[in-house]
Amino acid sequence: NDLLVIMLIVAAIVAAALSQVAASVAIIVIVTANAILGVQQEMSAASALEELAAGEGVKVKVIRDSKEQEVDSKLIVPGDIVLLKLGEKIPADMRIIESADLTVKEMNLTGESRPVKKNSVKMPDHAIKKEQETSPALSPVSPEAVNKLMDEERKRKEE
């Protein structure tokens, strides 16, 4: 990209030397606009990264040790089951255990402008165990324990 900008500046100088003032001015305006937009995008990206790194310290509801608790989003650990409601931010990378018509705005992560539909996929117990063995981000929570916690949560909601 820098090479292209240098070539445009050289072209503007050559155009000015050949008395092509309009072309020279047009090229300089385009290069300047490109520089301004580039700086603006860099600042916006840096701001977004700082915001992500700061973590905002939002409180989220989790099921931990078979109990529903409210914890700071920075303190979520592998094995926590995060309970989300409509409009809440997703505080961490996680698997969806259960959802209904879930869409997620991923613009900050992927640039996708439209919400992306997400769903839960029931995984066989052996697949969950294999994933836990190969991924250090996942805690060794047994699939049976996850299913038991989810059943307890459903019963609690029905009451």
Side-chain angles (χ1 to χ4, degrees):
N1 195 16
D2 290 339
L3 181 61
L4 181 60
V5 171
I6 292 168
M7 288 174 46
L8 285 170
I9 292 170
V10 170
I13 293 169
V14 170
L18 295 174
S19 300
Q20 299 290 324
V21 178
S24 179
V25 169
I27 293 170
I28 291 171
V29 167
I30 291 169
V31 169
T32 303
N34 180 48
I36 291 169
L37 288 173
V39 168
Q40 191 176 30
Q41 278 187 320
E42 286 285 329
M43 289 172 54
S44 176
S47 173
L49 281 174
E50 286 174 14
E51 195 174 300
L52 284 172
E56 294 182 23
V58 175
K59 296 283 186 188
V60 294
K61 285 188 179 179
V62 300
I63 297 176
R64 182 184 290 171
D65 300 326
S66 301
K67 298 178 208 135
E68 187 176 311
Q69 303 174 28
E70 193 169 288
V71 299
D72 191 295
S73 64
K74 293 178 185 177
L75 301 177
I76 294 173
V77 296
D80 284 346
I81 296 176
V82 179
L83 306 173
L84 297 172
K85 293 181 183 168
L86 181 67
E88 290 182 337
K89 291 183 179 181
I90 298 173
D93 188 20
M94 61 187 74
R95 174 188 320 287
I96 300 166
I97 298 174
E98 184 178 306
S99 67
D101 297 323
L102 176 64
T103 58
V104 177
K105 294 179 184 175
E106 296 182 343
M107 185 149 194
N108 290 345
L109 298 173
T110 65
E112 179 64 43
S113 61
R114 293 193 173 120
V116 178
K117 188 165 182 66
K118 302 286 182 178
N119 56 39
S120 57
V121 176
K122 179 113 171 103
M123 291 179 65
D125 290 353
H126 71 276
I128 294 173
K129 286 178 183 174
K130 180 164 179 63
E131 185 176 76
Q132 289 171 339
E133 291 169 4
T134 58
S135 176
L138 298 172
S139 70
V141 175
S142 72
E144 296 82 15
V146 170
N147 291 333
K148 180 182 174 194
L149 286 170
M150 293 311 298
D151 288 341
E152 290 173 3
E153 179 63 15
R154 279 189 210 100
K155 286 178 186 172
R156 189 183 67 75
K157 285 180 182 177
E158 290 172 359
E159 294 174 352

